[in-house]
Amino acid sequence: MSDLDRPGLQPVDPETGRPPVVPDDERMLIALDIDGTVLLEDESFSPGVPAAVREAAQRGHIVTLATGRSWEATYPVLVWLGLTPEYVVCANGATIMERDTTCATDYRRRIIETFDATEVLEHLSLQLPDATYMVELGDGARLFTRFLGDWDLSRPDARCVTIDEMKGQQVTRVVVVSPQHTSDEFVDVVAGLGLQQVSYSVGWSAWLDIAPQGIDKSTALAQVREMLGIDPSRVVVMGDGRNDIEMLQWAGQVGGRAIAMGQALPEVSQHATETTGDVHSGGVANALRRLGAVFSPA
């Protein structure tokens, strides 16, 4: 039995009536994917998640988000959860946000990784001419070829452009949607392009995220862990998608816990140290209880 599973912790502090706060050397860094982990497809929360993550944070654990979403799409989820972590990982690791209460959203961009999108766009537009493209710039501004509601393109810093206008831009990511392809077909198409200067992941649908080479959730979380001074064995990550594979691998390799959601594809879950229930059955909340991070019942 690991120290995270040990029995004997009291469910409430007898003096405060609240869950006991853990000593600093027992704090966990808990990094959660959003879509398919914290949220269902309709943007509602997985059962028990808000209460569980708040209790874990109240106990002194560092609960944060590690997502492929932009910061603008991540911030509302952070607010709904009532979380204020020091760092948040966005854009599949290309952006690390740092808490700064002098900013409008209480966060500023601490680390931004970018790449020139020209080569990627030239290759993809030849193979996928009917796809819809979006690039995200370092400051969060967006350029897109066709309006999609999922991309929050009504903001003032979003602009409809041509593929050629996207070329030459330094971007944190390129996002491509091709409804004509299944996710497996998309994997084959992208693999055949031989892209060497970028990292990419394909979501549960034909949604492609392309990031700078060597940048993913794991590289960002490794920096976050070091900045926070958390022992590697106290790292916990949870996710369900292909873009969570590197994060799961990293957590397991450093001696932490890599938890795959129950609905994760075999190619994802094989990199986890353990699995939990699926997103519809409250997998995150159940995992946090199993870890001893929370005591609240399901």
Side-chain angles (χ1 to χ4, degrees), residues 75-203:
Y75 178 65
V77 181
L78 206 66
V79 172
W80 299 335
L81 289 170
L83 294 176
T84 56
E86 191 68 17
Y87 302 102
V88 182
V89 173
C90 303
N92 284 321
T95 303
I96 300 177
M97 304 298 298
E98 180 180 41
R99 186 156 173 78
D100 182 347
T101 55
T102 67
C103 298
T105 62
D106 292 337
Y107 284 87
R108 68 180 180 89
R109 285 170 167 79
R110 167 68 182 268
I111 295 174
I112 304 171
E113 303 282 358
T114 63
F115 69 102
D116 187 327
T118 303
E119 181 182 5
V120 169
L121 291 168
E122 287 178 345
H123 279 74
L124 288 174
S125 60
L126 287 174
Q127 296 295 321
L128 303 168
D130 297 323
T132 300
Y133 295 83
M134 186 269 285
V135 297
E136 186 172 323
L137 308 185
D139 63 0
R142 296 180 166 195
L143 307 178
F144 60 95
T145 60
R146 187 180 301 120
F147 186 89
L148 284 181
D150 290 342
W151 284 349
D152 188 22
L153 300 177
S154 59
R155 359 183 310 200
D157 60 354
R159 185 162 55 95
C160 186
V161 300
T162 65
I163 286 283
D164 285 340
E165 289 177 282
M166 290 181 175
K167 295 175 183 177
Q169 300 281 353
Q170 289 292 317
V171 306
T172 57
R173 63 175 182 153
V174 176
V175 184
V176 187
V177 171
S178 182
Q180 301 94 314
H181 296 81
T182 66
S183 58
D184 288 339
E185 289 171 339
F186 216 175
V187 169
D188 293 338
V189 168
V190 176
L193 295 177
L195 301 175
Q196 301 299 315
Q197 305 304 314
V198 296
S199 300
Y200 64 86
S201 62
V202 179

Side-chain angles (χ1 to χ4, degrees), residues 1-297:
M1 178 179 292
S2 77
D3 63 335
L4 295 181
D5 291 322
R6 69 188 188 281
L9 288 174
Q10 298 300 311
V12 295
D13 184 305
E15 295 184 1
T16 65
R18 298 169 67 87
V21 175
V22 297
D24 285 350
D25 62 354
E26 292 188 13
R27 293 188 305 163
M28 289 182 276
L29 170 59
I30 302 169
L32 306 174
D33 170 51
I34 293 181
D35 298 288
T37 301
V38 169
L39 293 183
L40 304 176
E41 289 181 29
D42 65 359
E43 295 280 298
S44 63
F45 280 114
S46 173
V49 163
V53 298
R54 286 171 190 158
E55 182 179 332
Q58 288 171 356
R59 294 198 60 221
H61 299 298
I62 303 167
V63 186
T64 190
L65 301 175
T67 177
R69 292 186 175 207
S70 67
W71 166 241
E72 288 73 17
T74 301
Y75 178 65
V77 181
L78 206 66
V79 172
W80 299 335
L81 289 170
L83 294 176
T84 56
E86 191 68 17
Y87 302 102
V88 182
V89 173
C90 303
N92 284 321
T95 303
I96 300 177
M97 304 298 298
E98 180 180 41
R99 186 156 173 78
D100 182 347
T101 55
T102 67
C103 298
T105 62
D106 292 337
Y107 284 87
R108 68 180 180 89
R109 285 170 167 79
R110 167 68 182 268
I111 295 174
I112 304 171
E113 303 282 358
T114 63
F115 69 102
D116 187 327
T118 303
E119 181 182 5
V120 169
L121 291 168
E122 287 178 345
H123 279 74
L124 288 174
S125 60
L126 287 174
Q127 296 295 321
L128 303 168
D130 297 323
T132 300
Y133 295 83
M134 186 269 285
V135 297
E136 186 172 323
L137 308 185
D139 63 0
R142 296 180 166 195
L143 307 178
F144 60 95
T145 60
R146 187 180 301 120
F147 186 89
L148 284 181
D150 290 342
W151 284 349
D152 188 22
L153 300 177
S154 59
R155 359 183 310 200
D157 60 354
R159 185 162 55 95
C160 186
V161 300
T162 65
I163 286 283
D164 285 340
E165 289 177 282
M166 290 181 175
K167 295 175 183 177
Q169 300 281 353
Q170 289 292 317
V171 306
T172 57
R173 63 175 182 153
V174 176
V175 184
V176 187
V177 171
S178 182
Q180 301 94 314
H181 296 81
T182 66
S183 58
D184 288 339
E185 289 171 339
F186 216 175
V187 169
D188 293 338
V189 168
V190 176
L193 295 177
L195 301 175
Q196 301 299 315
Q197 305 304 314
V198 296
S199 300
Y200 64 86
S201 62
V202 179
W204 58 270
S205 62
W207 179 301
L208 171 67
D209 255 306
I210 301 173
Q213 176 66 30
I215 301 299
D216 53 56
K217 293 183 183 182
S218 73
T219 59
L221 285 173
Q223 294 179 76
V224 168
R225 183 204 67 76
E226 186 171 349
M227 289 187 288
L228 292 171
I230 298 296
D231 187 271
S233 66
R234 309 300 297 179
V235 169
V236 178
V237 302
M238 299 188 209
D240 74 308
R242 291 185 179 94
N243 64 334
D244 296 314
I245 289 176
E246 292 85 0
M247 176 176 77
L248 294 167
Q249 289 176 324
W250 167 75
Q253 289 167 356
V254 300
R257 297 176 74 153
I259 303 174
M261 300 298 291
Q263 80 279 3
L265 293 170
E267 65 192 82
V268 176
S269 58
Q270 68 179 345
H271 299 286
T273 60
E274 58 197 273
T275 60
T276 187
D278 65 29
V279 66
H280 295 281
S281 64
V284 168
N286 291 333
L288 291 176
R289 280 188 287 274
R290 190 171 70 242
L291 289 166
V294 302
F295 299 107
S296 300

